[in-house]
Each structure stands twice: as C-alpha cells, then as structure tokens.
Amino acid sequence: MAPSRYVGYLAFFAASLLPSSVLALWPIPTTLETGMTALKVSPSFYFDVQVNGAPADLYEAVGQAQYYLETDKLGRLVVGRGATDTTALASAKTLSCLKLSLTSGATAEPIASEAVKPLGTRSEEYALTIPADGSTATLTANSTLGLYRGLTTFNQLFYYYSGVTYTLLAPIAITDTPAYVGICRINLDVSSFILMYIAFPRTWAGYIKKLLLCC
C-alpha cells in the first residue's frame, strides 16, 4: 500500500478521536457553549469596528480575518465534505456582521504594543457571541490584543461547501483567557506534525499565528 494511503487512514483515525464540535478550535477556549442550529455567513458580511481611536494594526487584523473568511473554503472533515449539510442550510438564518468593541474604560493601543507588555500585565481575554437568529455577533475584549485573539477564534468556527460559508453549532458563546500567564510554547513531535497538519491545516495555522504573537 502506498505511503500516502497510510497517511490518509491515520488522518481519518485521528479526526475520529475528537468531538466534531471542537475539531476547528485550537487551543480550546476557557468556556465554549454551542447549539445545534445551522447559520450561514452572508456574502456581504462585514466587521464593524466600534473602537475609538482604533490603531492601524487592528484594522489590518480585521482585514486579515475578512480575507480568510472569504478565501479559506475549508470543508468539514466528513464524507462528502459537507454535502449532507445542504438540507439544514436551506432554511438557515444569515449572519451579516460581527461588532468589535472594547470594554468600558479600556484604551485602544496597537496590538504590537499590547503583545510585548510585561508578563502578568497583558490582557488577552475576550468574549465572543454568535446568535442563531442572524442578528449581529459581538466580540468584546479589554484590549486590542484580546480582539485579535477573538478574531482568530472567529475564523476557525466556519466551514465551506458549494459557495456557502457556515456553522452548524449556533448559537455560540465563547469566553477565553490564557490558562497560564507567560507560558506560550508548544512541544512539537516532528514525526507526527506533518500528519496533524494534513488532518487539521486551519487548526495548526491559527495556533501558530497565536504562538508567534504572544511570545
């Protein structure tokens, strides 16, 4: 049997060990609540930045999130890559907007500045809510770095099939904060990294981006 077929079987086995609701998210958020309702992303979806004095790199992060939302096109890791989801999507509501805001009293500093603050003073926590009825989703944080973390998570929540970007887990409510202050490392087993990347490419890409920014 060709080695590529072994890799395919191993990737399928690895995926089957994880609950479907968390396959796209890494690291796992502090609190994650999901439903069982399909929700489509509107073709005219936009990010509404409600941050006074928002720095340039926050807008760059939003632009990056918009780009990935439109071009990622990752199908579900199931037989048919999501073909069986079309029935649920036929009657699904449509999400048109994610509103970003800072908590009351927070100051909008550049993400790059927030990311290099002394350990114990960085604020990376965020709260992300996506209703199932198509009303505006919200992302709130104490800092622009927290908003960046939330944007990274937001982009991991959706799949793509036949021209539609969607989730089957609405409503979604996430609150997240670093589990360990100042610890942002990964113990990488190079013998299995390629396999895991093949099985979960977006998961690893999102995690590595977080790793680079927080260290």
Side-chain angles (χ1 to χ4, degrees), residues 87-112:
T87 300
L89 293 175
S91 58
K93 300 291 185 180
T94 302
L95 177 66
S96 298
C97 176
L98 172 66
K99 182 176 73 173
L100 286 72
S101 61
L102 294 178
T103 55
S104 178
T107 303
E109 298 183 29
I111 298 173

Side-chain angles (χ1 to χ4, degrees), residues 2-179:
S4 60
R5 295 186 64 183
Y6 281 117
V7 171
Y9 290 143
L10 288 172
F12 179 80
F13 176 73
S16 68
L17 296 178
L18 295 174
S20 59
S21 62
V22 300
L23 281 177
L25 286 180
W26 190 266
I28 304 299
T30 305
T31 301
L32 170 63
E33 298 179 3
T34 62
M36 299 178 64
T37 302
L39 179 68
K40 298 181 292 187
V41 175
S42 170
S44 58
F45 177 90
Y46 67 99
F47 293 88
D48 181 15
V49 182
Q50 294 291 318
V51 177
N52 291 329
D57 60 359
L58 177 59
Y59 285 108
E60 292 172 0
V62 167
Q64 181 187 63
Q66 184 85 50
Y67 173 79
Y68 282 123
L69 191 64
E70 295 173 355
T71 63
D72 194 21
K73 298 184 179 180
L74 181 69
R76 289 210 297 137
L77 195 62
V78 295
V79 175
R81 304 297 284 179
T84 57
D85 300 335
T86 54
T87 300
L89 293 175
S91 58
K93 300 291 185 180
T94 302
L95 177 66
S96 298
C97 176
L98 172 66
K99 182 176 73 173
L100 286 72
S101 61
L102 294 178
T103 55
S104 178
T107 303
E109 298 183 29
I111 298 173
S113 298
E114 294 281 1
V116 296
K117 285 185 175 181
L119 299 180
T121 67
R122 298 175 195 169
S123 179
E124 303 182 53
E125 61 271 19
Y126 64 88
L128 173 63
T129 302
I130 303 176
D133 61 3
S135 56
T136 299
T138 60
L139 172 59
T140 307
N142 294 327
S143 71
T144 54
L145 180 58
L147 292 177
Y148 179 81
R149 302 294 188 223
L151 285 172
T152 303
T153 297
F154 180 79
N155 276 123
Q156 295 182 60
L157 293 171
F158 299 98
Y159 294 105
Y160 177 90
Y161 181 78
S162 189
V164 180
T165 301
Y166 66 98
T167 179
L168 299 176
L169 300 175
I172 300 171
I174 295 173
T175 57
D176 198 15
T177 189

Side-chain angles (χ1 to χ4, degrees), residues 26-27 115 122 124 148-149 152 183-188 204-215:
W26 190 266
R122 298 175 195 169
E124 303 182 53
Y148 179 81
R149 302 294 188 223
T152 303
I183 297 178
C184 189
R185 299 292 185 269
I186 179 171
N187 183 14
L188 183 62
W204 277 102
Y207 184 74
I208 290 172
K209 281 191 294 183
K210 286 186 177 184
L211 182 69
L212 293 177
L213 242 190
C214 72
C215 299

